Amino acid sequence: VFFDDLPALDLFQQWLDKWLIVVKNKPEYFGDQVWVDEYDNILGEEDRLLIASLDRSLDQSYDWVHQNGGVFIPAHIDRTANSLVSQLGFVPPDVNADALEISPLAKEEEVKMNGWDKIKPLIAGSDAHWPERLGSEITFVCMKNTGLVEFKKALRREKGRYVAPGKFEKNI
C-alpha cells in the first residue's frame, strides 16, 4: 500500500491494527519481530504475529485504501506461501488492485503463462526480510515528478508514463 503522506500511513496502520487477528508470536518458530534504529540498535519487539491474517477480505482492504487515497498492490503474488496464488491457486482476472507485485523468484515464462501482465501492471519487489536483500529487485518507474498522483498515472500508462519490473523492463 502506498500513501502520499505520513498521516495517511498512520491511519492505515491503525486500520491494520484493528483487523489483524491477534496471535502471539513464537520467536523460536517464526523469528524475532523487532524494530531497530539506523545503528541496528533494537528499540522494541512486536508480540503479535505479523504474518497472521487480517479479518478483512482483499476487496474490503482495496476499498479502504482507495477511500483514503492510497494505491493497493498485493505483494509477491507468485510466492508458494502468503500470496494470492498460494491462497487461491490463481490471480483472479478481475482482482481489485492497482498493480501486482512479483517476487524475486518470478520468471518471465511464469508471468506470461499465467497472464499476470495482462491482468494488472506489474512491479517487482525484493521481498526483503533481511537488510542485505534490500534492493535485490527493482521496478523502473517513468513519471514526470515524484508523488502518488504521478505514480497512479504511471500504473495506468498515461501519456508515456509506465512501471516495469527491472528484470522485464526490456519488454516495455
Side-chain angles (χ1 to χ4, degrees):
V1 171
F2 296 88
F3 288 102
D4 236 352
D5 56 48
L6 288 176
L9 188 61
D10 287 339
L11 190 61
F12 180 61
Q13 185 62 58
Q14 291 171 29
W15 185 83
L16 287 174
D17 289 342
K18 177 180 178 180
W19 296 110
L20 181 67
I21 295 173
V22 179
V23 176
K24 187 165 175 49
N25 183 36
K26 295 180 181 176
E28 65 280 2
Y29 185 74
F30 295 110
D32 295 316
Q33 298 179 155
V34 298
W35 58 92
V36 298
D37 64 15
E38 66 271 22
Y39 305 108
D40 290 332
N41 296 311
I42 295 174
L43 302 177
E45 184 170 357
E46 178 61 58
D47 291 329
R48 297 171 302 165
L49 181 62
L50 296 176
I51 63 169
S53 299
L54 288 181
D55 189 15
R56 298 284 91 184
S57 70
L58 188 70
D59 289 341
Q60 288 170 315
S61 301
Y62 170 87
D63 289 344
W64 191 95
V65 168
H66 271 248
Q67 289 166 7
N68 289 278
V71 171
F72 185 80
I73 303 174
H76 46 65
I77 61 162
D78 57 296
R79 285 195 24 185
T80 57
N82 305 315
S83 71
L84 281 178
V85 171
S86 71
Q87 298 302 303
L88 301 177
F90 65 102
V91 176
D94 60 347
V95 65
N96 276 331
D98 297 299
L100 302 170
E101 186 220 33
I102 54 174
S103 78
L105 302 175
K107 304 284 184 251
E108 191 167 9
E109 308 78 47
E110 175 186 28
V111 168
K112 297 289 183 203
M113 181 182 74
N114 290 297
W116 298 331
D117 57 332
K118 304 291 186 237
I119 296 172
K120 296 288 177 184
L122 297 178
I123 66 168
S126 54
D127 195 24
H129 295 258
W130 298 272
E132 60 273 8
R133 290 183 59 193
L134 285 171
S136 61
E137 289 291 327
I138 62 169
T139 296
F140 289 99
V141 183
C142 180
M143 304 186 306
K144 300 266 184 226
N145 53 55
T146 60
L148 208 55
V149 169
E150 277 292 311
F151 185 58
K152 290 176 182 180
K153 289 179 181 180
L155 291 173
R156 294 189 300 265
R157 299 184 74 88
E158 287 183 14
K159 298 181 180 176
R161 297 165 179 89
Y162 66 86
V163 298
K167 59 181 153 191
F168 305 152
E169 196 264 344
K170 66 185 179 311
N171 297 326
I172 297 173

